[in-house]
Structures are given as structure tokens and as C-alpha cells.
Amino acid sequence: AAWKGGLRFQVSAALKEGRVTPTELCQRCLSLIKSTKFLNAYITVAEETALKQAEESEERYRRGQPLGVLDGIPVAVKDNFNTAGIETTCASNMLKGYVSPYNATVVQKLLDQGAVLLGKTNLDEFAMGSGSTDGVFGPVRNPWSYSRQYKEKSVPKSHSEDKDANWVITGGSSGGSAAAVSSFTCFAALGSDTGGSTRNPAAYCGVVGLKPTYGLISRHGLIPLVNSMDVPGILTRCVDDAAVVLGSLAGHDPKDSTTIQDNFKPFELPNLTDVSKLSIGIPKEYHAPGLSSEILALWSKAADLFKNAGAKVIEVSLPHTCYSIVCYHVLCTAEVASNMARFDGLEYGHRSDMNKSTESMYAATRREGFNDVVRGRILSGNYFLLKQNYENYFIKAQKVRRLIANDFVKVFRSGVDILLTPTTLSDAVPYTEFIKEDNRTRSAQDDILTQAANMAGLPAINVPTALSERGLPVGLQFIGHSFQEKQLLTVAKWFEKQVKFPTIQLEEVKRHDHDVFQHQKSASFS
Amino acid sequence: VLNRRCVEAAVMTGLALNCSINKKSLFDRKHYFYADLPAGYQITQQRVPIAVNGSLSYSLCIDNKMSQMVTKTVRIKQIQLEQDSGKSLHDDTRSQTLVDLNRAGVGLMEVVMEPDMCCGEEAAAAVRELQLILQTLGSSQAVMAEGQLRVDANVSVHHPGEPYGVRTEVKNINSIRFLAKAVDYEIQRQIEELENGGTILNETRAFDSKLGCTVPMRDKEGKQDYRFMPEPNLPPLILYDAKSLPANMNHQQVVNIDWIHERLPDLPSVKRAKLVELYGILPEHSFTLLNEDGLTEFFENVVKQTPMKPKKVIGWILNDLLSYLKEHSLTVKESPVSPFLLADLLNLLEKKEISSTAAKQVLAELWKGEGKSPLEIVKEKELELIQDQKELEQICQAVIDGQENEVIMMVLG
């Protein structure tokens, strides 16, 4: 299908013109979800309510009164957003069976626009992790594990080996959402991004992952991890789609005091042709240890792409980058310890049978409800918040955070418009290899290129760039000025057009449901 | 999300207590686990509260005589905004605790006083004055029995000239009367303990109103580390005054200290001064008037409806009306005698149609609330003053005639 710019999903046009109906679209997605169940991308599939929403949307289209571009579009939401009437678990035993009485603001906004909520996607427990492997519902599998591109490049170790053993991770913690978008089961998904949790899986799964500026999109109803860094993330198959979703979600929410008051105007992305006025910064510190030579080469190639097109490409320095991962861990665990204090088994969620005393009930509930990763972070965080440690850890980390944020301010003030960096250190690794190291080690490694943007509250986006030698997606990251999403997305869109990232060729699914898949593929391009 | 009305109430109270209002104040999380704290932390203002360094003036009677009042001051350390927790109801028979979360999260204003008071009476008087101020401002109804005003007393003793002793915190005080009792008991207990060679523990104690003593509280054991952390969901609270208010700021979005200051109602001390000036009553009278809910209105209503001098009316209000109400545990609102009725009665007295003794008798009748007017009662009981000179002479003569001996004794001296 040809590229079409502008504020629309191509499928929206199809809906409007009646070439496909919302219920057909919904049914196909639901069917595809079933046939891709092995990916474990969804925790809950809300089949009944989704079909109902689709019917209502269809009625609106029949009357010629669709609510907007998103009307009838199937979407998925990460399972750490509250959804009224649909279970919200955060992939944890603590909230298994918990049904929220309200919708998160962003969920409500999507529904108000007529979007069809297919279900809740899988994640690392309480969004803590970089693999989407540590939730109680099991790990999410990267759809690219089942792509022809990957299969062609992978060398089977032995004939008797299970074909499945080589599957790769999605990255995390919004792995379910990324896999859902990547495998065509939905057209857009919500993730969350605290240290890279939207951009990381976006890179591994070959989709667009947008982390908006902190304060642009409401966090009300997003079960908090780190209140001062969390943002809702947007996952789509192309940059234009991300702009559409952003337009429907951004803006002040009276229920979230950390959203800015300024009026937000949704925008259409221009088709940038002339990049000569653009200044692209290449932060040298992002040449991190462990960065694969492949990605390094790709990064360099991308810089050249901009240079050859007439943009100004300069090397810049963000000197405090090396301290950011440690600083992040102190602040993150401290806020986590605080935010997890509400899970005591009294009001909602899991409650232990231990009833000798309130304290013992709390202790047992929390031991039973949380996995090791969560408990580890709570313990660390409380340690840092102790009176005798507060000054040395928490306050110091806050100061370092200010320095990190100032690094960006200085660079942007010097005339740089956008920073270009890798998103991940390598392509997706096989699950068996990933689990050889613990969550803490993995997070420290994998967050390194993404979490500075969370520390500084800046908008950042992963754009799928090329396939690695192993046939897996590699993405590059663009970081923009605060609240300058329009500029950021415009540049990202230009880049996307240049690199022409290939479509995934899902083998397994093709075998199971050829027609469904084909239609999905053609209907998804915008 | 911060409740605007709470901020305004805190600013009003801060201004009324002569505090400096911090134009920028911060919110923090205070962490501890308890069944009535659903979030596992309480949002409070530990680092920079909304108001600091104020003062509260209150008056005491010396030696319990209303005739001599002395003014004292207690410094206000700070006022902070914070969240309320839920309520725990302990069911010891079933070994369970019932938790009511309805008030969890509701805004509270904590007023912290410096240790400038020396006995239960002073504490009670200070809190009473604070109560009146809060009610006047509308910040709170401040009824202790309903938990609208909660008082924790911190008590310590020391020898003159030496530094302050270890303090204990006394909770579970449900009325101003109990506050005075609890403080005085605790002072005694500490003195006795120290004189017996013991030490005072920095602990929390509960006041037992039935026994009139303080007992250690089981729940709070050991010192807690509250792991204070800035509240990330609430940006710093910025308040403006006329000078600092930016021109293009939406007035609905901000709290303007000067605007609130201009609209402060008359504080109790001002009200009292006005009453004294306007009606020529004594200062101690004004205290009593303000202390009883509705009494000032009652008094002023009576004054309006009678030419009798307010200085005289006040006696009837404070000595007769009030004592009757107290005797029967009635509030002013529940008085069977309305201002109109009392004024009616006082008018008869003023016109010299009855004597003051007779008036008291009529008042006693009026209390019965049988709906009779003062005039009707006077007629019924034949209490009219006899104005006729001749009639009076006849009565006097009759008395004298009946008491011949006594009269002779008197004349002889």
C-alpha cells in the first residue's frame, strides 16, 4: 500500500468508506489474538465488551457520525492501566482478580473517541523489568521469533532441537503491548515508560514507541511505579499513527496535578522534505560499553543519512550520562517502595490467610503477592529513605538528576534540535540467554540508553530502522525538546520514510490463518 | 489533587494567628503501616509548612473570679496541611479491628503550638480561644466531641532554670474540660515519678476520661522512621499576594493571600472589644458572651427591644438566663425564654411596674414555657408594684401596727 501522510490511520479511511466494518475489524483482531496465543501478549481479552464497542462504532459510521479518526480502531492497553470492569493485574499475584471501578484517564479518552478495547497486555510484574519475562502470567514472546526473516537467519543447533526454543524476548516492560502491535492484533497499544519500558520493546519488536514529555499526558489511573518519571507510552506501527493517538490523549487533566495547564492542540505531521535547517546532536556518551558493532554502524549510517540530506550533524556531550543509571536506581527504588506501600491486602487484591496479627498479615500478603524483583526494589528503596541514608542517597540522587537534566538543557540551548541515539545495545536476545542474568542486572544494562530521557522528562521515540544480521529489528532513538512533540515526530517521520523498515512476515500465523493475516497487513499501513 | 478550600482555610487561620504565610510550601509522604492508612503513607508538610511563627492570645481568670482577667500568649510554631487517616474501631471481644475509610484522605490542618503554657487551665483557655477563632473564620466547626478538633497535649516538667524535660504525648482527649484534667494529671504524674527517682519516657499516652489518668498506649512502640520523601504527585504550593500576582494569571487558579486577608471576619478579640465599647459592659462579660454559642445574639436582640441600659441587661443575661440554662443543660438555642419574652419582662421592670424581685419570680414562671406573656403572669400572681402613695401608706401602717414592739425598739435606737 502506498504511503499516505496526514492525521489518519489508513484503516480509518477504509472504515469511513465502508470497505471494512468495525465489527469485522474487531473479529479479525480477536481471531488473530487467538491464533497468536503462543506469544502470550495478552493477559485478558475482553471479547464481549470489544464486540459491543465495535457494534456501537458501526452504528455511528452507518449514521455518518464517527467520533473521529480512532472510532472503531482496535487497541490494546498494558495491564497496569485501570480499566473499569476489566481485570487489572499488573502481572502480579497481588492484583490477580482485581477489577477496577474506574478507567484511567487515557483509557477513557480512547473509549470516548470510539476506540475498541480488545484487552490488557502482558508485562513484567508491576512494570519492573526490561524483558517482559518476570510477570506471573509468564514471558511474552517476540513475534519476530516466528518471522521468516529470523528463521532464515537462525542456525538450528541440532535437528532434534525444539523449533520453539530459540524464541527471543520482546524487551520490557511493555512487551505485551509491543508484541500486540507488532503481530497485527491491534492498531495501537498503550504502554508505560519509566526508564525505557515503551521504547525498549518497541525497538526489539520493530514498532514505533513514543515516550511523551512528562506532564503532557495524564497518569491518573496508571498504577504508579515512579511518579516523577512514569508516562503513558504509545506503540504503533508508524509515526503518523503515534501522532494521532498522542493527539487524542494529551492535555491537562484536573485529576493529575502533574499535567501542565497549557492548552494542547493536536497536530498533523507535515511531510518534511527539507532537513537543511535541522541540527542533529550525536551524544558521544551514548557510545556505551556493550553497544553492538552492528548498532554502532547503524547509528553512524543514520547520522550520515541526515548529513547527506543537508542537516547539520554534530557531536555533543552529555557528561553526566555515566551516573544516570545509578541515580535512576536510587530514585526509582525509593519511589517504588513508597508506591507499593498501599498493597496490604486490606482494601483490594490478594490477602493472605495469615491472621495472627495485622503486621503478620501484611508481611505474608506482601511476600505472597509480590515477586522477588518487586520485593528487592522495595527493600532497596526503603533503605535509601531511612533517615540516616536519606541525605547520602536520595538527596544526592536528586541533585545528580538535576545535573543530568541540565546536560540536556545546555545541549538544546546551544542550537541542537533533536538528539539521535541507539535505543538498545543489541537486537533481541533469546529468552534462554536473557534469563541467565537477574532482573536487576538486565535492567541496569538495558535501560542505559533510555532512562536519561525519563530523568529529564524529555520526549523520546524509537523508530524501527533495519533488521540485524540475525533478522531481528533494530531501532534508533530520537530525543526532543520538552513539549516539542510535533518537531520530534516530524523528524522521526522523515527518518522512517528514508529507512523503509520491512514488514514482519509472520510464518506461524500465516500457516494458521492466511487470509486474516493478509488483510491485517494491508489494512495496517498508513 | 490539592483541595483549594483547605488551602484557603489554612491561609485564613494562619493570618488570624499572626503567622507568616509561606508563599511556597511543599508536600511530603510520611510512611508507616497501619490498618487505617490505606496508602501506607500520609501526605503532610514536613519540610516547609504553609504558615509559621504566629501567636495566639487568650485570657484567664485569676483565682476563678470573673473580675480579674489576665492575657497570655502562646506562640504558634506552624500550621501544616495534611491528610486524615481512616478510623479504627477495635473489637476486642472478637479480636478484630473494623476499619472505616470514609474520612481517609480528607484534608486536615495541624496547628502546632510552642510549649509556652504551664498548666491545664492555660491549655484549656488557649484551645478554647483557638476554637472560637476557627469557628469565626469558618475554617472548622471545631467541635471536639465530633472529632472536628482533635487535641494532643505534649507535657514535660523541669526545675526552674533547667532545660525542658522529656515530654510525653497525651492523646484521646475529647473535650476542653478533659484537656485541662489530662494536662494536670500528667504534670502530677511526671513530678511524682521524678521525685521517686524514676525517669520519664518519651512515649505516647492515652487519657482515660473515666479514671481521670493517662496510660501508656500499646500501639506506638519504639521510635519509627517515617522515611519522609517529597510527594511527587503534588507540585510545590505557590501562593500569591497582590504584589507577586502575575498580571495574566487566571484568578480562579490561584490563592491570593491579600485577598483573603481583606475578607477576614472580626476575630473574637475584636468582637469582644467592640461589645465592650458599644454596650459599656465589662471585658469579662464579653468573654462569657462569646463563649456561649448564640449568647451574643440573644443579648443584642434583647438590647434592641428594650430601653433598659445594656449594662443592666447583661446582668439578667449572665446571672439569670445563663445560670438557668446551665442548670438544665440547655443551649441558648434551646432556651424556653426567647429574647422577645425577656425584653418584654425587662420593659415591665424598666417602667417600674414590677420590682426586680417580682421580675425574678416572673422569669421563673416563664421558664416553664407555658406560653404566657410576662404581663399575664404578673396579673396572675398579683405582682404589680403599687404606685399609689396612699395605698402604700396604708400597707406600711398595717405592718407597723402589727409590730408595735419592734417599731418602738427601732425608734429608741
Side-chain angles (χ1 to χ4, degrees), chain A residues 165-402:
Chain A
N166 235 9
W167 62 269
V168 298
I169 57 164
T170 50
S173 60
S174 312
S177 284
V181 173
S182 171
S183 60
F184 303 103
T185 59
C186 63
F187 288 82
L190 289 185
S192 66
D193 196 311
T194 306
S197 293
T198 291
R199 293 161 284 156
N200 175 295
Y204 288 150
C205 294
V207 297
V208 170
L210 170 62
K211 175 212 167 296
T213 312
Y214 181 87
L216 183 61
I217 299 187
S218 171
R219 289 181 298 113
H220 175 76
L222 166 61
I223 295 173
L225 184 61
V226 184
N227 289 291
S228 65
M229 297 186 208
D230 290 350
V231 291
I234 297 170
L235 294 137
T236 54
R237 285 195 278 279
C238 69
V239 178
D240 266 332
D241 292 352
V244 171
V245 178
L246 178 70
S248 70
L249 296 181
H252 176 64
D253 182 9
K255 295 188 196 139
D256 180 351
S257 301
T258 58
T259 52
I260 49 157
Q261 307 266 359
D262 303 1
N263 280 324
F264 172 81
K265 288 193 210 74
F267 46 79
E268 228 178 84
L269 289 181
N271 270 323
L272 193 63
T273 45
D274 175 24
V275 295
S276 59
K277 295 197 190 67
L278 217 51
S279 170
I280 306 288
I282 309 289
K284 62 181 186 195
E285 290 85 1
Y286 277 65
H287 188 345
L291 187 64
S292 79
S293 48
E294 218 176 12
I295 297 201
L296 184 60
L298 212 61
W299 185 19
S300 197
K301 212 168 151 198
D304 289 339
L305 193 69
F306 277 99
K307 208 187 301 183
N308 296 337
K312 182 169 158 213
V313 179
I314 54 170
E315 189 189 75
V316 295
S317 174
L318 299 168
H320 296 93
T321 303
C322 57
Y323 305 116
S324 62
I325 196 79
V326 181
C327 176
Y328 172 72
H329 270 276
V330 172
L331 295 177
C332 172
T333 52
E335 285 207 39
V336 163
S338 177
N339 289 325
M340 294 293 133
R342 71 194 61 189
F343 297 106
D344 53 22
L346 280 189
E347 306 87 4
Y348 41 76
H350 172 69
R351 186 200 282 217
S352 167
D353 289 330
M354 163 71 69
N355 60 1
K356 264 199 285 181
S357 70
T358 313
E359 276 87 33
S360 61
M361 193 272 277
Y362 273 34
T365 297
R366 289 161 72 79
R367 188 185 357 103
E368 292 164 16
F370 292 138
N371 72 4
D372 284 353
V373 178
V374 178
R375 283 157 63 213
R377 293 203 194 185
I378 293 173
L379 288 170
S380 316
N382 277 324
Y383 176 79
F384 296 136
L385 289 177
L386 289 175
K387 224 193 268 187
Q388 67 257 35
N389 295 327
Y390 186 70
E391 191 78 29
N392 285 332
Y393 290 97
F394 191 84
I395 297 287
K396 276 247 170 73
Q398 291 276 49
K399 291 180 178 171
V400 174
R401 182 177 180 177
R402 174 61 60 197

Side-chain angles (χ1 to χ4, degrees), chain A residues 227 257 338-339 342, chain B residues 1-3 25-32 36-48 80-85 104-110 226-235 237:
Chain A
N227 289 291
S257 301
S338 177
N339 289 325
R342 71 194 61 189
Chain B
V1 180
L2 191 53
N3 181 327
S25 60
L26 305 171
F27 291 96
D28 305 284
R29 289 187 182 181
K30 178 179 180 183
H31 299 87
Y32 62 93
D36 63 17
L37 198 64
Y41 59 84
Q42 175 201 33
I43 300 180
T44 177
Q45 292 189 298
Q46 188 240 8
R47 287 169 292 154
V48 186
Q80 70 208 42
L81 286 170
E82 54 186 41
Q83 287 181 310
D84 204 353
S85 64
V106 168
L108 289 179
M109 194 170 54
E110 179 165 315
Y226 291 113
R227 289 165 281 127
F228 284 100
M229 181 184 94
E231 169 55 69
N233 286 328
L234 290 177
L237 175 60

Side-chain angles (χ1 to χ4, degrees), chain B residues 4-15:
Chain B
R4 189 207 173 103
R5 187 73 190 91
C6 293
V7 176
E8 290 172 347
V11 172
M12 268 202 295
T13 308
L15 291 171

Side-chain angles (χ1 to χ4, degrees), chain A residues 248 311 427 455:
Chain A
S248 70
D427 56 3
M455 299 276 264

